[in-house]
Every structure is written in structure tokens, then in C-alpha cells.
Amino acid sequence: MRMKTAQILMECLLEQGVDTVFGYPGGTILNVYDEFELHGYKDKIRHILTAHEQGASHAADGYARATGKVGVCFATSGPGATNLTTGIATAYYDSSPVVFITCNVSENLIGKDSFQEVDITGISMPITKCNYLVKDPNQLADVIREAFAIARTGRPGPVLVDIAKNVTAAEAEYEPLPLSEHPNHGRLAAMLRRASHELKAPEPDAGDIQTLLDMIEEARRPLVLVGGGVIRSKGAVPQFRKFIETLNAPVASTIMGGGACPGDHPLFTGMIGMHGSHASNHASDQCDLLIALGARFSDRVVSNVKTFAPKAKILHIDIDAAEINKNVRADVSLVGDLKNVLEILSERLPQQSHPEWMAHIMELKEKYPLTYDISGLSCPYVIQELERLTQGKAIITTDVGQHQMWTAQYYKFSKPRTLLTSGGLGTMGYGLGAAIGAKLAKPEKTVINIAGDGCFRMNMNELATASRYNIPVIEVILNNHVLGMVRQWQTLFYDEHYSATTLNDKVDFVKVAEALGCRGIRVTSKEELAPALKEAMECGGPVVLDCQIDSDDKVFPMVPAGAPIENAFDQDDLDGKG
């Protein structure tokens, strides 16, 4: 059938099962937005108008992370498109499947420095799995189908489709195609026929599997390092939990692996790396086999590559071949989908036992518990109260900084896709948009964003989005009136030169919340916290809690950048008590 190309785009979104789009309109994308009214797509696809395109990008990302589905984001050309770039990069570094759809100026204006023209495909090339500039109306349906397949398949990630405005006004033939038939038609079929395509993970080689099994059975002090790849691989978490029970070995997690292993599991040693637990960091120093599952060995995990896991053979399993030997050289590696690999390993691996090793790990956990000053209101106390009141079942989003680390340390995540945070790019201002997306995706869940006051200032305008649609997210601001993590570094490594990190001013976050249509509550003591949290959870609308904490609270343990991770220190060490 013949129809307007903008309508074809909408039909293609319906083919993919898209029910929600986050975006912000503008001149070049008006033909697409007109379809919401012209042919009634507003009744089939919910559009959420955010306060800023960056907020839309994070909301689409949060929607994707909470569900495992592909998130969708719309924006116009020029500054509309460039405002997406931080959100695109955030999704890219954390392997989140989002399709960003922008519309550029008409084809005859491209390359002429036209009003609101920008080469968004060129700009986004390093931070997308793939991107497109669509100039042919007859190619649009094919491109959209391919874009979604690339975003969701293999190692997930963002894809950008830029469409010239004249294309959205043209007509083309459209043939409806069920999602199951997409691999058999058009560009996607041609891609799948190529031997080099990466849409399907390679099947594990029987010889490689046997090598892994032999290494595991020979190990006396194995350690599992779980990363975000276990969360991203659909269906991998049950297989992962079966595997660690069979292996009977300690499990350390990157921040992106939060929720893969329940936080209260006896095998779990906590986060690893710069702000990891002593148990996890010492285990990595003493293990004789480190099994890395879907982890990329970032500098915040490894710190010093030359001293990382010095006694261990490294076994690295990942769906992305580019991650193998990129940061840490593996003794044995396997490229494949973690669900499939772990399923095979669990079936063939006999029950293991490492009593002396596990007893040593339990001693480390008991000797080096996480501690904080309990005399007043603090971020760890807030997070533990949140966990108690939500029974660990909430979806927690975070911004980036001290509060992010405290959240990973103190909230015992029990399920995958319940910790949504910017682990790779470290995007301040990510959390509120992500919380909005997650709550719309999972309305039955309590969704809480934990933010610092510096991060809240980045994207607090998205409170207007939450109030416009009455999205009952809870924004918990850990307000220490400074850029906390930067101040911590200034205190410890820069002779207390607090340059440009003090935020004492006249901004009142409770009044800001109320001005933007939300409930605002200020919390200044431990006694006020539980009633305020209960009120927020029962409110039925968006709520901001302004929790006043000390400016000099610090995240411990801490490893200085580049130091061996077993050399973590805490306040007692600074006070000469360690």
C-alpha cells in the first residue's frame, strides 16, 4: 500500500511493539509528529514530552534498561539532535538498546550550513553501534527494521536514524511485515547472509567449553567477577545463579552487574574496584582463577593492570570480541552469549567445593564490614532505610558521584534490571530521566532516583515532565551543598583546595519541586527520614526529598587511582587507627 513516509515510520514502530516514545518536537520532525494526530497514532503509541532532549534520551534509556526492550527517542535537527549526544553516549558505554530517530533539514539544504542543520550521523558515529541518514523514502522501512535488530542483538546498544525532512513528506510503498519475518527480507536479510555480521553470537566450541571446565575444576581459589553483560543477556541471570551455586565460589560485582547476584547471598562479596569492598578486592589479589562474565575490566575496577589478580589465571567470557584482551589479557577467553555459555557450563560442571577458600572469604567479610558514622543523617543511612521500606524490591536509578557508590555498596539488589546507573560514561543528571522511563515501563514498581545536589541541578527541569504526566517517581537528593566526590578528591589528594565545588547558595530544592508541580519534603535528621519516605511512597505523584547531609562525608573504602586495588584505605587508616 502507498502512504506518507512519516506514517510508514509509525507503522514500523508498531511492528516492533513500541508503545512509548520520549521526545521533543521541532521544525524538521513536524511531519512525524503530525502523524500522532493525523492518523491517530497517539492512541497506539504514547508520546512523553520531556523538558529537554537530554531528558528524553535518558528516559528512553531507562525504559530500555528496566524492560530489556528497545527504547525510542525522537528529536529534531540541529540543537535538538546535539542535545541527545550525552544520552546516546551514556547508552553506548552501558550497552543499552535505544533507537534515536532525528529528522534533518531537507536533502537540498544538507551541507549548506542551513538553519538548524548539523551532521548528527558524523557526530554520533563513535557512540552508536550504527547510524543512518535516510534520503530515499523507499528505504525507510528497511532501515528502521535493521536499526531495531542491531540495537537489540548481540551486545545491545544505541542506533541513530536521521531522516531528511523531505523524505518524511514523500510517499512510498509500504508492506506490513510481522517482526518474525524481518530477518527474511530486505537489508536485514542481506546482512544476515554476510559471514561477518554480528547479529548472532557464535555457538560455543565444544573444545573451548572443555578447556573452561578443566580450568574451573583445577582451581582451588576461584573468584567470579560479574559485569553488566550478565544483566544484558536475556535469560542469563538464572543460569548465572545456578553456575555460582555449582561453583561454590565468591562473587564480586562491577557496578553494572548489580542485581545479578542477590546482595544478601552468602557467596556475594560486594562491589569490586576503587570503592569496592575489602573482601572483593583482597579476593581478586589472592584468587588463582578469575572468571570474568560480561565485564570489561574498566580502570575503576582494575586500577593498576600490572598488579590486578597477580596470582590468577584470567578466564574471560563476553559477547563482544573487542573486549577480550582490551584492558586485561586473558589466559583463556570465549566469545558467546552468556546465557548459552553458562547453561552449558552449569550442565557439565560437577558440584564444586572450596571450604578453606570460602572460610577465608567469610573471614574477610567479617573483618572488613562496610561502616559509616551513625551519629547523624547520612547517605548510607538513607539508602539502608530505603532498602528496608522497599524490601529491596524497588527500581533504583542514580546519578553519578558519592551517592552512586554508596547505593551500590548499601542497597542489597536482589533482581536484575533494578539498578539503573551510568557506569561507563558517568553522566551527571542521568537518574531523573531514567527514573521517569523506568516508572512508565514498570508502573507497578516503586521507582526511586538517588541523586546528589550537583547532579539534581543538571536535569531538575524533568520534574516538570513527572508532574505533567503525574509520574510517581521519588527523587531523593543527598544534599551536602558541595560536589561531593570532587570535594573528596580535593580533600585527600589536592591539599583541601576546594576550587569550584561549593554549592552553598539560595536555591531551595523544596520550593523548586513545588514550583514544578511536585511535592517537596525537607529531611534534616534521622528521625524525620522514615516518615518522609513513607509519605513519598504513598503520595501517588512525584515527590522530592531534600535530605541534608554533611559536606565532608566520604565514600570508603577507596583505592587511589592507579594503586593496587587491595591497597584500599578508609577513615581509620587516615586517622592512624588502621
Side-chain angles (χ1 to χ4, degrees), residues 508-515 518-522 544-546:
D508 185 325
F509 291 151
V510 170
K511 290 182 178 179
V512 168
E514 292 171 348
C518 304
R519 176 86 170 92
I521 305 170
R522 184 169 288 107
V544 173
L545 267 63
D546 180 11

Side-chain angles (χ1 to χ4, degrees), residues 215-228:
M215 290 180 68
I216 292 170
E217 291 192 65
E218 290 171 5
R220 295 294 174 261
R221 301 185 307 278
L223 172 67
V224 176
L225 173 59
V226 58

Side-chain angles (χ1 to χ4, degrees), residues 254-473:
T254 70
I255 192 169
M256 297 308 299
C261 182
D264 58 358
H265 196 287
L267 295 174
F268 190 59
T269 58
M271 188 168 63
I272 193 171
M274 179 173 284
H275 292 291
S277 69
H278 283 292
S280 290
N281 288 357
H282 281 291
S284 72
D285 183 56
Q286 298 166 11
C287 67
D288 63 0
L289 176 66
L290 191 146
I291 306 169
L293 303 173
R296 56 192 177 86
F297 292 114
S298 78
D299 59 301
R300 293 301 170 101
V301 167
V302 172
S303 188
N304 188 326
V305 174
K306 294 179 181 179
T307 61
F308 181 72
K311 304 177 182 69
K313 291 182 178 179
I314 306 293
L315 193 164
H316 193 181
I317 306 173
D318 204 284
I319 198 167
D320 186 358
E323 291 297 341
I324 306 297
N325 297 324
K326 185 177 80 175
N327 294 324
V328 170
R329 182 157 293 279
D331 293 279
V332 175
S333 61
L334 193 150
V335 176
D337 184 87
L338 279 162
K339 175 183 180 295
N340 298 336
V341 175
L342 290 170
E343 186 173 15
I344 295 170
L345 289 176
S346 297
E347 287 175 354
R348 296 180 55 181
L349 181 68
Q351 180 63 49
Q352 303 292 294
S353 178
H354 309 96
E356 293 183 5
W357 176 232
M358 286 307 305
H360 176 62
I361 294 300
M362 292 306 297
E363 287 179 11
L364 289 173
K365 290 172 70 173
E366 291 174 9
K367 182 178 180 180
Y368 299 110
L370 291 170
T371 60
Y372 64 92
D373 183 355
I374 61 173
S375 62
L377 186 65
S378 66
C379 186
Y381 180 79
V382 172
I383 291 165
Q384 288 186 323
E385 276 295 285
L386 278 173
E387 188 204 3
R388 182 180 69 83
L389 292 173
T390 62
Q391 299 179 319
K393 297 178 181 178
I395 292 176
I396 304 294
T397 67
T398 81
D399 282 295
V400 171
Q402 289 179 312
H403 61 277
Q404 180 189 32
M405 297 297 104
W406 277 316
T407 300
Q409 289 176 336
Y410 287 96
Y411 195 100
K412 291 181 172 61
F413 293 93
S414 60
K415 293 185 178 181
R417 302 191 181 280
T418 54
L419 170 58
L420 313 184
T421 190
S422 176
L425 192 65
T427 303
M428 293 177 68
Y430 168 78
L432 180 52
I436 289 170
K439 183 63 179 178
L440 290 169
K442 298 285 186 178
E444 75 282 4
K445 290 282 190 180
T446 299
V447 178
I448 302 166
N449 180 46
I450 299 174
D453 48 323
C455 291
F456 180 63
R457 292 165 185 260
M458 295 275 184
N459 272 342
M460 62 185 177
N461 52 353
E462 294 306 333
L463 289 179
T465 306
S467 65
R468 179 186 300 116
Y469 296 99
N470 195 36
I471 303 168
V473 294

Side-chain angles (χ1 to χ4, degrees), residues 53-276:
E53 290 90 352
Q54 185 177 334
S57 69
H58 296 326
D61 183 348
Y63 182 98
R65 297 193 201 205
T67 62
K69 300 177 182 177
V70 178
V72 181
C73 183
F74 283 178
T76 192
S77 64
T82 57
N83 282 343
L84 296 177
T85 53
T86 297
I88 296 171
T90 301
Y92 182 74
Y93 279 97
D94 290 345
S95 305
S96 184
V98 184
V99 171
F100 294 89
I101 297 173
T102 56
C103 288
N104 215 319
V105 297
S106 292
E107 189 176 355
N108 65 313
L109 298 176
I110 290 176
K112 298 182 178 180
D113 293 335
S114 304
F115 178 69
Q116 291 194 333
E117 178 205 354
V118 73
D119 179 12
I120 192 60
T121 52
I123 290 170
S124 65
M125 189 175 293
I127 52 172
T128 52
K129 286 186 72 176
C130 185
N131 64 22
Y132 307 82
L133 174 58
V134 181
K135 297 180 180 180
D136 182 353
N138 297 302
Q139 291 293 316
L140 181 62
D142 245 7
V143 166
I144 296 297
R145 291 163 182 162
E146 183 177 276
F148 273 81
I150 290 173
R152 72 162 66 91
T153 313
R155 181 178 183 171
V159 175
L160 182 134
V161 180
D162 194 28
I163 311 168
K165 182 175 182 178
N166 61 291
V167 171
T168 66
E171 289 189 352
E173 288 294 326
Y174 167 71
E175 180 182 348
L177 201 60
L179 185 60
S180 60
E181 286 297 312
H182 288 187
N184 302 322
H185 293 80
R187 298 170 59 106
L188 188 54
M191 176 183 289
L192 291 170
R193 285 194 294 268
R194 295 199 300 269
S196 61
H197 79 84
E198 298 180 357
L199 291 188
K200 186 177 181 182
E203 291 297 322
D205 178 81
D208 291 339
I209 290 291
Q210 189 58 51
T211 300
L212 267 59
L213 289 167
D214 291 344
M215 290 180 68
I216 292 170
E217 291 192 65
E218 290 171 5
R220 295 294 174 261
R221 301 185 307 278
L223 172 67
V224 176
L225 173 59
V226 58
V230 173
I231 305 292
R232 297 290 180 263
S233 174
K234 291 184 179 179
V237 170
Q239 296 299 329
F240 165 76
R241 294 182 178 183
K242 182 180 178 182
F243 172 72
I244 62 173
E245 294 280 358
T246 304
L247 179 61
N248 188 36
V251 178
S253 176
T254 70
I255 192 169
M256 297 308 299
C261 182
D264 58 358
H265 196 287
L267 295 174
F268 190 59
T269 58
M271 188 168 63
I272 193 171
M274 179 173 284
H275 292 291

Side-chain angles (χ1 to χ4, degrees), residues 528-565:
E528 294 173 351
L529 180 62
L533 289 172
K534 289 176 182 177
E535 181 180 345
M537 291 170 65
E538 296 168 0
C539 176
V543 181
V544 173
L545 267 63
D546 180 11
C547 300
Q548 305 282 318
I549 65 172
D550 191 88
S551 298
D552 284 308
D553 282 356
K554 296 178 181 65
V555 184
F556 290 121
M558 183 178 186
V559 179
I565 64 171

